[in-house]
Amino acid sequence: MQIFSSRLWQTNAILLETGGVTVLVDSPVLPDELAALPRPEVLVVTHAHFDHVLARSAFPDLPLQAGPSTLEVMARGDWEQELRDSDEELYVEREAWPSLDGAERIGCDLFGVVDAPGHAEDGIALFTDDLLLCADYLIEVEIPLISRAGSVQQYLGTLDRLEPLVRRATTIVPGHGPALARDRALELLDLDRRYVSDLRGGPMRGPESERQRRIHADNVSKHCS
Ligand SMILES: [Zn+2]
Protein backbone atom coordinates (compact mmCIF):
# COMPACT_ATOMS: atom_id res chain seq x y z
CA MET A 1 0.00 0.00 0.00
CA GLN A 2 1.12 3.51 -0.79
CA ILE A 3 -0.39 6.72 0.58
CA PHE A 4 -0.21 9.92 -1.44
CA SER A 5 -0.99 12.76 0.94
CA SER A 6 -1.87 16.10 -0.61
CA ARG A 7 -0.20 19.34 0.41
CA LEU A 8 -3.75 20.62 0.80
CA TRP A 9 -5.46 19.37 3.97
CA GLN A 10 -3.31 16.22 3.84
CA THR A 11 -6.07 14.62 1.76
CA ASN A 12 -5.04 11.02 1.21
CA ALA A 13 -5.11 8.91 -1.92
CA ILE A 14 -4.44 5.26 -1.14
CA LEU A 15 -3.02 2.92 -3.77
CA LEU A 16 -3.27 -0.77 -2.99
CA GLU A 17 -3.68 -4.16 -4.51
CA THR A 18 -6.76 -6.10 -3.51
CA GLY A 19 -8.47 -9.03 -5.20
CA GLY A 20 -5.70 -9.04 -7.80
CA VAL A 21 -6.58 -5.47 -8.86
CA THR A 22 -4.67 -2.23 -8.30
CA VAL A 23 -7.08 0.27 -6.80
CA LEU A 24 -6.71 3.97 -6.04
CA VAL A 25 -9.03 5.15 -3.29
CA ASP A 26 -9.78 8.91 -3.28
CA SER A 27 -7.37 11.53 -4.61
CA PRO A 28 -4.86 14.22 -3.80
CA VAL A 29 -6.00 17.75 -4.61
CA LEU A 30 -3.32 19.65 -6.52
CA PRO A 31 -2.75 19.21 -10.26
CA ASP A 32 0.95 18.26 -9.94
CA GLU A 33 0.08 15.64 -7.32
CA LEU A 34 -2.63 14.18 -9.55
CA ALA A 35 -0.27 14.10 -12.54
CA ALA A 36 2.37 12.21 -10.53
CA LEU A 37 0.09 9.34 -9.44
CA PRO A 38 0.97 5.85 -10.66
CA ARG A 39 -1.71 4.39 -12.87
CA PRO A 40 -4.11 2.01 -11.09
CA GLU A 41 -6.77 -0.18 -12.71
CA VAL A 42 -9.82 0.99 -10.77
CA LEU A 43 -10.73 4.24 -8.98
CA VAL A 44 -12.86 4.30 -5.85
CA VAL A 45 -14.17 7.30 -3.93
CA THR A 46 -15.30 7.15 -0.31
CA HIS A 47 -17.63 10.17 -0.48
CA ALA A 48 -18.57 12.99 -2.81
CA HIS A 49 -16.65 15.89 -1.25
CA PHE A 50 -14.69 17.66 -3.97
CA ASP A 51 -11.24 17.02 -2.49
CA HIS A 52 -11.71 13.22 -2.77
CA VAL A 53 -13.10 12.82 -6.30
CA LEU A 54 -10.34 14.24 -8.48
CA ALA A 55 -8.53 11.11 -9.68
CA ARG A 56 -10.57 11.01 -12.88
CA SER A 57 -8.77 14.19 -14.00
CA ALA A 58 -5.59 12.07 -14.23
CA PHE A 59 -7.25 8.84 -15.38
CA PRO A 60 -10.36 9.77 -17.37
CA ASP A 61 -10.63 6.30 -18.92
CA LEU A 62 -10.63 4.25 -15.71
CA PRO A 63 -13.71 2.74 -14.07
CA LEU A 64 -14.90 4.72 -11.07
CA GLN A 65 -16.72 3.07 -8.17
CA ALA A 66 -18.58 4.49 -5.18
CA GLY A 67 -21.34 3.63 -2.75
CA PRO A 68 -24.96 4.15 -3.83
CA SER A 69 -25.50 7.30 -1.75
CA THR A 70 -22.29 8.80 -3.14
CA LEU A 71 -23.37 8.07 -6.72
CA GLU A 72 -26.50 10.13 -6.09
CA VAL A 73 -24.63 13.06 -4.58
CA MET A 74 -21.93 13.00 -7.27
CA ALA A 75 -24.61 13.08 -9.96
CA ARG A 76 -26.10 16.20 -8.37
CA GLY A 77 -22.78 17.85 -9.13
CA ASP A 78 -22.32 20.02 -6.01
CA TRP A 79 -18.65 19.03 -5.99
CA GLU A 80 -18.01 20.96 -9.22
CA GLN A 81 -18.94 24.34 -7.74
CA GLU A 82 -17.09 23.52 -4.51
CA LEU A 83 -13.97 22.69 -6.51
CA ARG A 84 -14.28 25.88 -8.56
CA ASP A 85 -14.70 27.98 -5.40
CA SER A 86 -11.74 26.31 -3.70
CA ASP A 87 -9.48 26.69 -6.73
CA GLU A 88 -10.40 30.37 -7.01
CA GLU A 89 -9.74 30.94 -3.33
CA LEU A 90 -6.33 29.23 -3.47
CA TYR A 91 -5.30 30.42 -6.97
CA VAL A 92 -5.06 26.84 -8.18
CA GLU A 93 -5.08 26.46 -11.96
CA ARG A 94 -6.40 23.13 -13.16
CA GLU A 95 -6.00 22.15 -16.79
CA ALA A 96 -7.59 18.73 -16.44
CA TRP A 97 -11.12 18.72 -15.01
CA PRO A 98 -12.54 15.41 -13.78
CA SER A 99 -15.67 13.87 -15.23
CA LEU A 100 -17.47 11.49 -12.90
CA ASP A 101 -19.75 10.20 -15.67
CA GLY A 102 -20.40 6.48 -15.74
CA ALA A 103 -19.50 5.89 -12.09
CA GLU A 104 -20.65 2.49 -10.90
CA ARG A 105 -21.91 1.07 -7.65
CA ILE A 106 -19.09 -0.60 -5.72
CA GLY A 107 -19.46 -4.36 -5.18
CA CYS A 108 -17.87 -6.47 -2.47
CA ASP A 109 -15.32 -8.19 -4.71
CA LEU A 110 -12.44 -5.86 -3.78
CA PHE A 111 -13.26 -4.68 -0.26
CA GLY A 112 -15.69 -5.14 2.53
CA VAL A 113 -17.90 -2.06 2.40
CA VAL A 114 -19.72 -0.37 5.25
CA ASP A 115 -21.98 2.70 5.16
CA ALA A 116 -20.32 5.78 6.60
CA PRO A 117 -22.60 8.83 6.49
CA GLY A 118 -22.56 11.61 9.09
CA HIS A 119 -19.49 13.63 8.09
CA ALA A 120 -21.41 14.05 4.83
CA GLU A 121 -24.83 12.80 3.78
CA ASP A 122 -23.14 9.97 1.88
CA GLY A 123 -20.06 7.83 2.30
CA ILE A 124 -18.54 4.41 2.74
CA ALA A 125 -15.58 2.92 4.57
CA LEU A 126 -13.61 0.05 3.04
CA PHE A 127 -11.84 -2.83 4.71
CA THR A 128 -9.76 -5.90 4.09
CA ASP A 129 -8.52 -8.35 6.74
CA ASP A 130 -6.05 -6.01 8.42
CA LEU A 131 -6.62 -2.64 6.74
CA LEU A 132 -9.40 -0.12 7.25
CA LEU A 133 -9.88 2.89 4.97
CA CYS A 134 -12.23 4.90 7.14
CA ALA A 135 -12.87 7.99 4.95
CA ASP A 136 -13.23 11.28 6.84
CA TYR A 137 -13.37 9.79 10.35
CA LEU A 138 -10.60 9.20 12.93
CA ILE A 139 -8.46 12.04 11.63
CA GLU A 140 -5.42 12.95 13.71
CA VAL A 141 -5.06 16.43 12.22
CA GLU A 142 -8.71 17.49 12.33
CA ILE A 143 -11.56 17.35 14.81
CA PRO A 144 -14.80 15.75 13.54
CA LEU A 145 -16.34 17.87 10.81
CA ILE A 146 -20.07 17.45 10.36
CA SER A 147 -20.98 19.18 7.13
CA ARG A 148 -24.37 20.83 6.67
CA ALA A 149 -25.74 17.78 4.89
CA GLY A 150 -24.22 15.45 7.49
CA SER A 151 -25.80 14.53 10.81
CA VAL A 152 -24.82 13.94 14.42
CA GLN A 153 -26.89 10.76 14.70
CA GLN A 154 -25.47 9.33 11.50
CA TYR A 155 -21.93 10.29 12.57
CA LEU A 156 -22.34 8.37 15.83
CA GLY A 157 -23.84 5.41 13.98
CA THR A 158 -20.84 5.34 11.66
CA LEU A 159 -18.42 5.38 14.60
CA ASP A 160 -20.33 2.40 16.05
CA ARG A 161 -19.98 0.52 12.77
CA LEU A 162 -16.29 1.41 12.47
CA GLU A 163 -15.34 0.28 15.97
CA PRO A 164 -15.30 -3.52 15.36
CA LEU A 165 -13.42 -2.93 12.10
CA VAL A 166 -10.81 -0.82 13.90
CA ARG A 167 -10.43 -3.55 16.52
CA ARG A 168 -9.51 -6.12 13.91
CA ALA A 169 -7.36 -3.85 11.70
CA THR A 170 -3.63 -3.30 12.09
CA THR A 171 -3.58 -0.17 9.94
CA ILE A 172 -6.27 2.47 9.70
CA VAL A 173 -6.00 5.07 6.95
CA PRO A 174 -8.32 8.06 7.21
CA GLY A 175 -9.16 10.50 4.43
CA HIS A 176 -6.76 13.11 5.82
CA GLY A 177 -3.56 12.99 7.85
CA PRO A 178 -1.38 10.11 8.98
CA ALA A 179 -2.26 6.42 9.00
CA LEU A 180 -2.97 5.11 12.48
CA ALA A 181 -2.18 2.00 14.46
CA ARG A 182 -5.16 0.34 16.13
CA ASP A 183 -4.59 1.75 19.62
CA ARG A 184 -4.47 5.35 18.45
CA ALA A 185 -7.48 4.86 16.19
CA LEU A 186 -9.45 3.51 19.17
CA GLU A 187 -8.41 6.54 21.24
CA LEU A 188 -9.57 8.90 18.51
CA LEU A 189 -12.80 6.93 18.15
CA ASP A 190 -13.52 7.37 21.83
CA LEU A 191 -12.61 11.08 21.85
CA ASP A 192 -14.61 11.78 18.70
CA ARG A 193 -17.65 9.88 19.97
CA ARG A 194 -17.60 12.00 23.11
CA TYR A 195 -17.13 15.22 21.16
CA VAL A 196 -19.94 14.51 18.68
CA SER A 197 -22.25 13.36 21.51
CA ASP A 198 -21.86 16.75 23.17
CA LEU A 199 -20.93 19.27 20.50
CA ARG A 200 -21.43 22.26 22.77
CA GLY A 201 -18.83 20.84 25.13
CA GLY A 202 -16.21 21.93 22.66
CA PRO A 203 -13.21 20.36 20.97
CA MET A 204 -11.57 17.77 23.21
CA ARG A 205 -8.50 17.18 21.11
CA GLY A 206 -6.64 18.21 18.01
CA PRO A 207 -4.41 21.06 17.02
CA GLU A 208 -5.30 24.36 18.65
CA SER A 209 -5.67 26.39 15.52
CA GLU A 210 -8.00 28.90 13.95
CA ARG A 211 -9.05 26.28 11.40
CA GLN A 212 -10.05 23.76 14.11
CA ARG A 213 -11.89 26.46 16.06
CA ARG A 214 -13.80 27.34 12.89
CA ILE A 215 -14.74 23.69 12.26
CA HIS A 216 -16.02 23.48 15.82
CA ALA A 217 -18.03 26.72 15.51
CA ASP A 218 -19.51 25.46 12.21
CA ASN A 219 -20.47 22.13 13.79
CA VAL A 220 -22.27 23.92 16.59
CA SER A 221 -24.06 26.41 14.34
CA LYS A 222 -25.19 23.73 11.88
CA HIS A 223 -26.15 20.98 14.29
CA CYS A 224 -27.12 22.49 17.66
CA SER A 225 -30.49 24.17 17.25
ZN1 LIG B 1 -15.10 14.99 3.40
Side-chain angles (χ1 to χ4, degrees):
M1 178 187 65
Q2 255 180 300
I3 300 173
F4 300 86
S5 196
S6 181
R7 302 195 297 283
L8 281 185
W9 312 302
Q10 298 184 34
T11 305
N12 289 328
I14 303 108
L15 183 77
L16 75 162
E17 182 139 342
T18 176
V21 178
T22 310
V23 183
L24 183 75
V25 178
D26 290 345
S27 63
V29 182
L30 294 170
D32 64 308
E33 297 167 341
L34 286 155
L37 288 170
R39 184 179 171 84
E41 294 168 281
V42 173
L43 307 174
V44 174
V45 301
T46 57
H47 63 296
H49 281 164
F50 76 92
D51 53 330
H52 296 261
V53 301
L54 304 175
R56 266 282 185 86
S57 62
F59 307 112
D61 56 323
L62 287 185
L64 174 65
Q65 300 184 357
S69 58
T70 298
L71 293 178
E72 277 177 37
V73 179
M74 288 195 314
R76 221 164 56 207
D78 303 356
W79 64 271
E80 294 212 59
Q81 191 57 50
E82 291 163 10
L83 178 59
R84 252 182 227 109
D85 292 346
S86 170
D87 283 352
E88 272 178 26
E89 172 76 21
L90 299 168
Y91 303 167
V92 171
E93 294 185 9
R94 199 175 292 278
E95 280 174 25
W97 192 263
S99 162
L100 308 187
D101 291 352
E104 297 160 6
R105 180 177 178 151
I106 192 166
C108 43
D109 48 335
L110 302 178
F111 296 100
V113 180
V114 62
D115 273 342
H119 159 70
E121 68 190 287
D122 63 301
I124 50 173
L126 305 166
F127 61 97
T128 63
D129 286 341
D130 56 355
L131 176 68
L132 172 63
L133 309 180
C134 60
D136 281 6
Y137 300 87
L138 311 180
I139 297 173
E140 186 76 70
V141 294
E142 187 175 276
I143 65 167
L145 187 162
I146 310 171
S147 55
R148 186 170 299 284
S151 118
V152 165
Q153 284 317 312
Q154 289 187 330
Y155 201 111
L156 292 171
T158 291
L159 291 181
D160 287 347
R161 281 188 295 280
L162 290 177
E163 184 168 355
L165 301 172
V166 172
R167 288 191 185 282
R168 72 177 222 191
T170 50
T171 305
I172 295 93
V173 186
H176 302 263
L180 306 166
R182 181 190 303 138
D183 287 355
R184 181 57 181 160
L186 286 171
E187 281 174 9
L188 292 183
L189 197 142
D190 182 50
L191 290 166
D192 289 353
R193 184 183 273 142
R194 286 195 282 164
Y195 169 67
V196 175
S197 302
D198 177 21
L199 279 184
R200 287 188 195 282
M204 303 173 66
R205 67 157 180 97
E208 278 286 311
S209 69
E210 188 51 39
R211 163 88 177 157
Q212 302 308 306
R213 279 189 284 275
R214 206 164 59 234
I215 291 172
H216 171 62
D218 281 353
N219 286 338
V220 170
S221 80
K222 288 170 184 161
H223 299 285
C224 298
S225 51

